[in-house]
Amino acid sequence: MRPNGAIVIDPTGADIHEEAERIRVLGPIARIELPGGVRAWSVTGYEAARQVLADTRFSKDPRKHWTAFSDGTLDPAFPLIGWAMMENLTTSHGEDHARLRRLVTGAFTTRRVERLRPEIERTVDRLLDALESESGDAPVDLRSGFAEPLALNVICELLGVPQDVRAVLFSGGEANVDTTNTSQETASVIERVHGIAGELIESRREQPGNDLVSDLIRARDEDGSRLSEAELMGTILLLVSTGTEPVKNLLTNTISELLGSPGSLAAALEGRTPWGDTVEETLRVQAPVAHLPFRFAVEDVEVAGTVVPRGEPVLIHYAAVGRDPAIHHRDPDVFDPDRADKRHLSFGHGVYRCVGMPLARLEAEVALSSLFRRFPELRLAVPASRLERQSTFIMNGLSSLPVRLGKKVTE
Ligand code: HEM
């Protein structure tokens, strides 16, 4: 902690839950220091987070509402500068945000998403077949071999992103969430990604398809006031990364929690605990998006008795919010899918609430039920204490999830 009381955030994200508890001790909203020495606020309390997320006096537009960004005092080498530079829904406010959000929400309604179920099932089966055929009982990585390709394929099918550029486009989102990267490292990946995304936009412009990228291009070209060229690019890249990174974490976090809790796994497999409850409990106790930048106070705003001065940045600590002892009185840190109250804000709340929530829930239900039904003997290939974390405090994920599949059950 700094003499001024701010908790210094660990860029490696080695133990985000321990760090969250140190912030929580200071109150539901507290001072933190980000890599690069940038001062900000972190909201760890459930009620405080609900207030901030629903309060229009908090904006997500750094250009208009982050004083240090707009007056040029923010160091361009600030490692998280990419989170302020991008142009998409997540860096817009008010009518601009509503305009951008309207362009994508239609593709992610529960009804539209349910139509993707057969495609998700086919992808899950194909990935499990591949893992099984290559593994015998040797260790396989469920992050790189299952969770990540599933999430990436599903969102890219919907967008119409060709197979050969999917991984490159996703690497932009990955570089952005790696909080050990320097701003130059992130910028060079993003530059490459922009080049590839630009080519994709041009090719879809020439040959439109029945996909979301083509719909967005049509919206842009028919009426430029609905979407600028930079926003078009930003929105496509946002959807590739938000459609992949947190879903991958939700899957790997649920699998590792279940493998550490045989009773909960048996209850899920026997149908005593619905898969949906297991997924909600992971969202609460292992929020896939952990500590998310940025919101900015449009004016001085009081939150839980503390005044956030105008123009200062605020992060929501979703991983802390789900474990808030003020609402989860009994063992808030324990994974228990049968607990009655699984309240969390892990998909956000208010006008910026996650667009992809129905899709994420559907993917998780299909993936987890298929995986564990087919491989009921699945087990970790290393001790749980040796599972390595992704180098980020923004996301809550594993860098790999090595398991042995065990004997297959054929249905
Ligand atoms: C488990 C999976 C997911 C989690 C935990 C998650 C979490 C979140 C959170 C916390 C927010 C709110 C950000 C804020 O308030 O600042 C958000 C927004 C968003 N999410 Fe997700 N997300 C997930 C999956 C997805 C998927 C599959 C998509 C599909 C493309 C998606 C697209 C978006 C978009 C576009 C926004 C921005 C909404 C806006 O600014 O209006 N997310 N997500």
Side-chain angles (χ1 to χ4, degrees):
M1 190 193 288
R2 290 280 184 246
N4 61 21
I7 300 267
V8 180
I9 299 301
D10 172 10
T12 71
D15 193 343
I16 52 166
H17 292 300
E18 183 273 337
E19 185 170 83
E21 293 316 313
R22 280 191 287 122
I23 304 171
R24 195 195 304 285
V25 167
L26 305 178
I29 176 161
R31 281 257 181 224
I32 56 170
E33 185 181 302
L34 298 171
V38 170
R39 300 279 300 277
W41 297 87
S42 173
V43 186
T44 54
Y46 179 91
E47 292 301 344
R50 265 178 76 91
Q51 180 202 324
V52 171
L53 291 168
D55 192 330
T56 53
R57 292 172 301 166
F58 284 101
S59 157
K60 293 194 73 180
D61 187 340
R63 291 163 187 84
K64 292 189 185 138
H65 299 119
W66 189 2
T67 306
F69 188 75
S70 53
D71 72 10
T73 50
L74 183 70
D75 184 348
F78 172 48
L80 302 190
I81 193 99
W83 287 82
M85 300 291 285
M86 57 182 148
E87 287 185 51
N88 58 41
L89 284 72
T90 64
T91 51
S92 58
H93 180 59
E95 192 34 51
D96 275 338
H97 172 254
R99 167 178 61 83
L100 292 172
R101 190 171 163 108
R102 269 195 302 273
L103 291 167
V104 297
T105 44
F108 295 97
T109 59
T110 306
R111 249 208 357 231
R112 287 286 288 275
V113 159
E114 190 52 40
R115 286 193 220 146
L116 300 174
R117 185 185 282 272
E119 168 67 22
I120 296 172
E121 286 172 346
R122 271 194 299 276
T123 309
V124 164
D125 287 342
R126 182 172 52 72
L127 291 166
L128 292 179
D129 288 346
L131 283 177
E132 188 188 336
S133 69
E134 84 194 26
S135 92
D137 198 30
V140 293
D141 176 12
L142 287 184
R143 175 191 156 157
S144 61
F146 185 56
E148 191 169 294
L150 170 63
L152 186 60
N153 279 316
V154 170
I155 191 67
C156 287
E157 285 296 317
L158 202 113
L159 283 163
V161 174
Q163 192 78 42
D164 57 329
V165 297
R166 291 178 182 181
V168 183
L169 291 197
F170 175 55
S171 69
E174 270 199 307
N176 243 352
V177 300
D178 187 332
T179 43
T180 61
N181 277 346
T182 62
S183 58
Q184 292 94 321
E185 282 166 338
T186 309
S188 75
V189 179
I190 301 286
E191 195 183 314
R192 172 148 181 260
V193 166
H194 276 204
I196 303 280
E199 287 168 21
L200 169 66
I201 291 170
E202 279 324 303
S203 83
R204 278 285 175 285
R205 235 182 208 128
E206 280 162 25
Q207 276 195 312
N210 184 19
D211 53 59
L212 189 49
V213 167
S214 302
D215 290 349
L216 290 169
I217 292 171
R218 221 167 283 129
R220 154 88 188 125
D221 293 353
E222 278 166 12
D223 176 3
S225 68
R226 292 171 69 195
L227 189 68
S228 72
E229 196 70 20
E231 288 167 341
L232 170 62
M233 167 91 72
T235 305
I236 293 168
L237 296 176
L238 173 73
L239 291 173
V240 173
S241 67
T242 54
T244 308
E245 187 71 39
V247 177
K248 176 256 300 167
N249 292 348
L250 176 59
L251 295 180
T252 50
N253 292 347
T254 311
I255 296 165
S256 72
E257 286 292 347
L258 282 173
L259 295 179
S261 176
S264 302
L265 177 54
L269 276 169
E270 290 159 19
R272 283 182 280 122
T273 305
W275 284 105
D277 283 2
T278 302
V279 170
E280 285 315 297
E281 178 64 347
T282 307
L283 285 161
R284 183 191 73 77
V285 82
Q286 293 291 1
V289 175
H291 201 177
L292 190 68
F294 284 117
R295 280 175 163 71
F296 313 98
V298 172
E299 57 189 72
D300 292 358
V301 187
E302 188 177 328
V303 179
T306 298
V307 174
V308 180
R310 173 171 171 267
E312 294 202 356
V314 176
L315 285 77
I316 306 292
H317 206 316
Y318 291 107
V321 164
R323 295 179 176 208
D324 184 353
I327 59 157
H328 295 297
H329 308 298
R330 183 182 56 85
D331 300 333
D333 305 339
V334 172
F335 174 76
D336 174 10
D338 293 326
R339 72 170 69 228
D341 183 357
K342 292 188 266 292
R343 264 180 298 168
H344 62 76
L345 297 174
S346 297
F347 284 118
H349 172 69
V351 292
Y352 296 95
R353 188 180 163 97
C354 180
V355 166
M357 195 167 58
L359 178 58
R361 287 195 167 120
L362 177 63
E363 286 185 69
E365 182 212 309
V366 172
L368 295 164
S369 59
S370 306
L371 172 73
F372 283 107
R373 248 190 283 122
R374 195 190 295 204
F375 301 110
E377 294 179 358
L378 189 81
R379 61 204 187 279
L380 286 178
V382 297
S385 58
R386 285 197 19 226
L387 289 175
E388 282 177 21
R389 307 199 50 78
Q390 251 178 295
S391 48
T392 171
F393 66 81
I394 296 175
M395 294 289 160
N396 175 18
L398 297 168
S399 62
S400 66
L401 179 54
V403 299
R404 291 181 198 277
L405 297 174
K407 261 205 290 315
K408 171 187 171 174
V409 168
T410 20
E411 288 174 72

